[in-house]
């Protein structure tokens, strides 16, 4: 084995997947069997750590599917599962070799993940990894808010621990060298300088920083603010501990981003999406995605279907696509779908039914588009959302069934949805600017860059206090931006933009490097609300 895969580290990866993630007890003989088999695979293919973790996860998942959620992993059954997977992979690899881009079914790789179908993962400090929890059976607005912020704290804190070199204590003492002290560590150290981490809150007319054990007041009088910060953000504050529970801040910053490749390498493949994962599928995508030159998405927001001009403009657009034989792979249609908010159930229910029936009829006028294009519908803040909470359910089937009968690849999903390409309809720029603790001075980046970076660095779509942005607390995990997505679509009434946010890896600190990982962030702006 390579240095990266000592027997101990491979054993730990096996135990983590079987014991921690799947709740199985794997005996020593079964562990040894997997170590030998995986060791051969690693040597032959020179695999990286995250790829090996993916294989172990696939084996554990297949074992549970074949044998049920039993307590102990039996060696004979494990051998059957491993051999069956190996035969399947060999066949799939042979099939891949004979594939051409035209023969590949792109639909197989297209998944829309509804927020209410996402697995629920929680980071465990004791296990040093994520633990899968059962999803709540009932949506509750009364569950405690405390676990939300505790889980968000743990999520970002475990990320920071891997970037410890970024935060050196400002004194010459080595006690906290290369690590962040807890707020309790500051007690008795008045006059010393620190970098501290916690949740920014506001109470009794003053800002304070909280972690899981303590809280201190922040003096921001000499702190120059260059970015957006709101209550509910987790921040890093540099400054001096001046007296008991009082910290004089000289500068603050958001937690640094983590390259999603580094995240997966550290944590292995976790089923954040709730869909099957296959290394063979990944191989097909890598091999052919550059040759799918006409595979593109069309994204529109604020598509007011109660306006005749909207249908006229849509008909013109669809005609051009069909006449030019440029059939979009996906249409992402984001609400609001009416020009007025949903208030009266009787009146607006009828309007929604007519609106989607009419849209289905329009799309059916263009047979190639209706047959081959996917249509993804994401509700807006005013679509059947009377309490403003996130995540938001999809538009009910009773209003969309006729459209789906004419457009076979239509999917009505939640707001937000998916994870590698995240789609979220919220007027987020206005919300952040309005609730910012202080207007940034000498800001070197545009508003849209600051806003998108804030969400990505907070690893969350709604990093605000609950009164500012209500959420279903048991579904807070569906609002995470972790790992960092490939694309973040923030449909907003704000002006349209398309930007790349660099995500530095642990070994790459060059923002201008062409190989630097980037998250592409965009706002399509309003189709109907901004004059088409």
């Amino acid at each position: 084995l390579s240095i990266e895969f000592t027997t101990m580290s491979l054993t730990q990866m096996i135990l983590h997947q079987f014991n921690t993630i799947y709740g199985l007890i794997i005996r020593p003989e079964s562990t040894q069997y997997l170590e030998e088999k995986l060791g051969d695979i690693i040597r032959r293919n020179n695999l990286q750590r995250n790829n090996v973790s993916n294989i172990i996860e696939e084996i554990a998942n297949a074992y549970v599917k074949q044998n049920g959620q039993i307590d102990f992993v039996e060696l004979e059954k494990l051998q059957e599962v491993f051999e069956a997977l190996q035969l399947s992979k060999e066949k799939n690899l042979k099939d891949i070799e004979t594939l051409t881009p035209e023969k590949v079914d792109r639909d197989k790789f297209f998944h829309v993940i509804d927020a209410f179908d996402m697995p629920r993962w929680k980071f465990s400090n004791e296990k040093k990894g994520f633990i899968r929890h059962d999803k709540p059976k009932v949506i509750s607005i009364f569950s405690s808010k405390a676990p939300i912020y505790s889980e968000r704290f743990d999520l970002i804190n475990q990320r920071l621990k891997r970037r410890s070199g970024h935060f050196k204590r400002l004194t010459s003492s080595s006690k906290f060298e290369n690590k962040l002290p807890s707020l309790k560590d500051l007690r008795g150290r008045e006059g010393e300088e620190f970098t501290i981490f916690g949740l920014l809150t506001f109470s009794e007319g003053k800002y304070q920083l909280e972690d899981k054990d303590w809280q201190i007041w922040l003096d921001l009088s000499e702190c120059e603010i260059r970015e957006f910060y709101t209550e509910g953000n987790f921040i890093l504050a540099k400054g001096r501990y001046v007296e008991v529970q009082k910290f004089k801040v000289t500068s603050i910053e958001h937690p640094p981003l983590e390259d999603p490749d580094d995240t997966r390498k550290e944590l292995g493949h976790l089923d954040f999406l709730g869909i099957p994962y296959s290394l063979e599928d990944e191989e097909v995508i890598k091999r052919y995605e550059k040759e799918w030159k006409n595979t593109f998405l069309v994204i529109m927001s604020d598509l007011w279907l109660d306006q005749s001009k909207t249908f006229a403009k849509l008909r013109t657009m669809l005609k051009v696509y069909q006449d030019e034989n440029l059939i979009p792979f996906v249409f992402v249609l984001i609400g609001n779908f009416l020009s007025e908010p949903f208030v009266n159930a009787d009146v607006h229910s009828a309007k929604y039914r007519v609106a989607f029936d009419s849209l289905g009829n329009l799309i059916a006028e263009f047979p190639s588009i209706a047959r081959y294009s996917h249509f993804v519908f994401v509700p807006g803040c005013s679509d059947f959302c009377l309490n403003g909470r996130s995540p938001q359910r999809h538009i009910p089937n009773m209003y969309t069934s006729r459209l789906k009968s004419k457009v076979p690849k239509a999917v009505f999903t939640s707001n937000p949805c998916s994870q590698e390409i995240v789609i979220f309809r919220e007027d987020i720029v206005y919300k952040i600017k309005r609730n910012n603790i202080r207007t940034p001075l000498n800001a070197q980046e545009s508003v849209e860059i600051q806003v998108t970076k804030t969400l990505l660095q907070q690893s969350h779509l709604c990093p605000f206090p609950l009164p500012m942005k209500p959420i279903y607390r048991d579904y807070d995990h569906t609002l995470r931006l972790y790992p960092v997505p490939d694309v973040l679509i923030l449909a907003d009434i704000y002006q349209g933009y398309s930007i790349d946010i660099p995500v530095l890896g642990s070994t790459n600190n060059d923002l201008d490097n062409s190989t630097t990982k980037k998250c592409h962030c965009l706002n399509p702006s309003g189709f109907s609300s901004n004059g088409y």
Side-chain angles (χ1 to χ4, degrees):
L1 294 178
S2 64
I3 294 175
E4 189 177 11
F5 293 107
T6 62
T7 301
M8 181 58 71
S9 70
L10 189 54
T11 302
Q12 290 171 340
M13 292 169 71
I14 293 169
L15 293 176
H16 176 72
Q17 283 292 344
F18 278 83
N19 293 4
T20 305
I21 302 299
Y22 282 89
L24 301 171
I25 300 172
I26 184 167
R27 293 188 172 95
E29 62 268 21
S30 297
T31 304
Q32 184 179 354
Y33 169 78
L34 283 182
E35 287 172 1
E36 293 173 356
K37 294 296 183 180
L38 291 172
D40 291 339
I41 294 173
I42 292 168
R43 280 187 288 267
R44 289 199 309 268
N45 300 284
N46 193 27
L47 294 179
Q48 298 296 315
R49 184 185 182 91
N50 59 321
N51 289 330
V52 176
S53 182
N54 294 341
I55 294 172
I56 299 172
E57 194 275 340
E58 197 172 349
I59 295 168
N61 186 42
Y63 187 92
V64 170
K65 284 184 177 179
Q66 183 168 313
N67 299 287
Q69 193 72 42
I70 57 177
D71 290 335
F72 291 94
V73 176
E74 298 179 17
L75 178 58
E76 289 184 3
K77 293 181 178 178
L78 181 64
Q79 290 172 332
E80 291 175 6
V81 168
F82 185 87
E83 290 168 3
L85 283 175
Q86 206 166 28
L87 289 172
S88 175
K89 286 181 181 297
E90 289 173 0
K91 180 181 182 301
N92 289 340
L93 288 173
K94 289 179 180 178
D95 292 342
I96 290 172
E97 294 297 330
T98 62
L99 280 176
T100 62
E102 296 77 20
K103 292 182 179 179
V104 176
D105 181 9
R106 296 176 301 171
D107 289 353
K108 178 183 177 183
F109 309 108
F110 179 72
H111 302 279
V112 179
I113 312 300
D114 190 287
F116 294 92
D117 294 329
M118 286 185 184
R120 189 181 185 188
W121 294 89
K122 177 183 176 182
F123 185 81
S124 167
N125 288 308
E126 293 75 21
K127 300 288 186 179
K128 305 298 182 185
F130 283 87
I131 306 297
R132 187 163 182 166
H133 287 241
D134 292 335
K135 291 185 293 185
K137 296 180 180 179
V138 179
I139 296 179
S140 172
I141 62 174
F142 301 109
S143 54
S144 172
K145 70 176 183 180
I148 292 177
Y149 293 106
S150 177
E151 290 177 19
R152 292 186 195 177
F153 179 92
D154 287 339
L155 185 74
I156 297 178
N157 195 40
Q158 58 90 25
R159 194 177 91 201
L160 290 174
K161 288 177 180 178
R162 293 195 287 276
R163 296 289 294 270
S164 57
H166 187 78
F167 318 108
K168 289 190 176 182
R169 185 171 179 261
L170 302 180
T171 66
S172 57
S173 169
S174 61
K175 180 174 175 61
F176 299 112
E177 187 77 15
N178 287 338
K179 79 169 188 176
L180 290 168
S182 69
L183 297 186
K184 275 190 174 182
D185 289 333
L186 273 60
R187 292 182 300 184
R189 296 181 176 272
E190 289 81 0
E192 295 188 47
E193 294 180 329
F194 298 88
T195 299
I196 54 178
F197 169 67
L199 175 68
L200 182 65
T201 59
F202 189 78
S203 178
E204 300 178 16
K206 294 181 287 186
Y207 287 103
Q208 59 184 18
L209 199 68
E210 301 179 18
D211 64 12
K212 299 177 77 172
D213 300 312
W214 215 41
Q215 61 188 36
I216 59 174
W217 300 108
L218 298 180
D219 179 355
L220 299 172
S221 59
E222 297 180 8
C223 177
E224 185 173 339
I225 306 294
R226 294 180 178 270
E227 298 177 294
F228 289 126
Y229 299 93
T230 70
E231 293 177 67
N233 286 180
F234 288 91
I235 64 169
L236 291 154
K238 290 183 180 181
R240 185 182 299 273
Y241 188 53
V242 290
E243 58 185 78
V244 176
Q245 283 193 288
K246 186 174 181 180
F247 192 80
K248 194 173 188 65
V249 182
T250 55
S251 66
I252 59 176
E253 63 178 297
H254 290 288
L257 286 172
E258 180 176 73
D259 188 321
D261 291 339
D262 289 345
T263 303
R264 295 184 181 98
K265 182 176 180 181
E266 181 66 29
L267 301 176
H269 176 69
L270 293 177
D271 183 17
F272 283 113
L273 299 176
I275 58 175
Y277 179 87
S278 166
L279 292 175
E280 289 78 22
D281 289 348
E282 184 177 305
E283 178 64 28
V284 172
I285 293 172
K286 285 180 179 178
R287 181 173 298 198
Y288 295 116
E289 64 179 344
K290 291 182 180 179
E291 300 184 43
W292 293 333
K293 296 179 181 178
N294 291 327
T295 300
F296 63 97
L297 284 70
V298 175
I299 305 167
M300 291 178 283
S301 178
D302 276 357
L303 199 69
W304 292 347
L305 300 178
D306 56 345
Q307 303 285 321
S308 59
K309 195 171 182 179
T310 298
F311 281 90
K313 295 294 183 180
L314 274 176
R315 180 175 280 105
T316 300
M317 182 183 68
L318 295 177
K319 186 176 187 304
V320 170
Y321 283 132
Q322 181 149 295
D323 289 349
E324 297 295 327
N325 198 28
L326 290 172
I327 308 302
F329 183 52
V330 182
F331 285 90
V332 179
L333 307 183
I334 308 169
N336 301 313
F337 290 110
L338 294 184
S339 57
E340 54 189 29
F342 181 90
V343 178
N344 186 299
D346 293 332
V347 173
H348 290 100
S349 291
K351 287 188 175 182
Y352 274 100
R353 188 175 287 107
V354 170
F356 286 112
D357 286 354
S358 300
L359 181 59
N361 292 335
L362 173 62
I363 296 171
E365 292 178 17
F366 305 92
S368 296
I369 292 174
R371 186 181 305 116
Y372 295 113
S373 293
H374 293 267
F375 283 81
V376 179
F377 293 85
V378 180
C381 316
S382 299
D383 293 319
F384 297 91
C385 189
L386 299 179
N387 56 19
R389 294 182 183 273
S390 291
Q392 181 181 346
R393 288 276 189 189
H394 62 76
I395 293 173
N397 186 60
M398 62 184 295
Y399 303 106
T400 62
S401 57
R402 290 183 181 176
L403 182 149
K404 287 190 280 191
S405 69
K406 297 178 180 180
V407 185
K409 295 182 180 180
V411 176
F412 287 80
T413 187
S414 61
N415 177 29
C417 66
S418 294
Q419 192 175 67
E420 292 173 352
I421 298 179
V422 174
I423 306 168
F424 188 40
R425 175 63 178 94
E426 180 70 41
D427 296 331
I428 204 78
V429 172
Y430 171 76
K431 193 176 294 293
I432 287 181
K433 289 179 69 175
R434 182 183 180 186
N435 295 284
N436 189 39
I437 62 173
R438 192 189 299 168
T439 302
L441 298 174
N442 304 317
Q444 299 177 345
E445 295 174 323
S446 65
V447 169
E448 51 265 33
I449 290 178
Q450 290 186 64
V451 167
T452 51
K453 280 181 66 177
T454 295
L455 300 186
L456 292 171
Q457 290 168 324
Q458 293 296 316
S459 294
H460 206 277
L461 288 166
C462 299
F464 311 113
L466 294 179
M468 190 185 301
K469 175 56 185 176
I471 65 171
Y472 291 111
R473 299 167 189 174
D474 289 330
Y475 287 88
D476 185 67
H477 64 285
T478 68
L479 303 172
R480 292 175 188 161
L481 294 171
Y482 189 78
V484 173
D486 295 325
V487 179
L488 175 59
I489 301 171
L490 293 172
D492 197 314
I493 58 172
Y494 189 72
Q495 66 189 27
Y497 58 80
S498 179
I499 54 179
D500 287 323
I501 303 298
V503 184
L504 297 181
S506 56
T507 59
N508 180 11
N509 293 310
D510 184 3
L511 285 171
D512 298 322
N513 192 325
S514 61
T515 62
T516 298
K517 189 86 172 181
K518 296 179 177 67
C519 174
H520 186 63
C521 304
L522 62 97
N523 172 26
S525 193
F527 183 78
S528 303
S529 58
N530 280 351
Y532 309 95

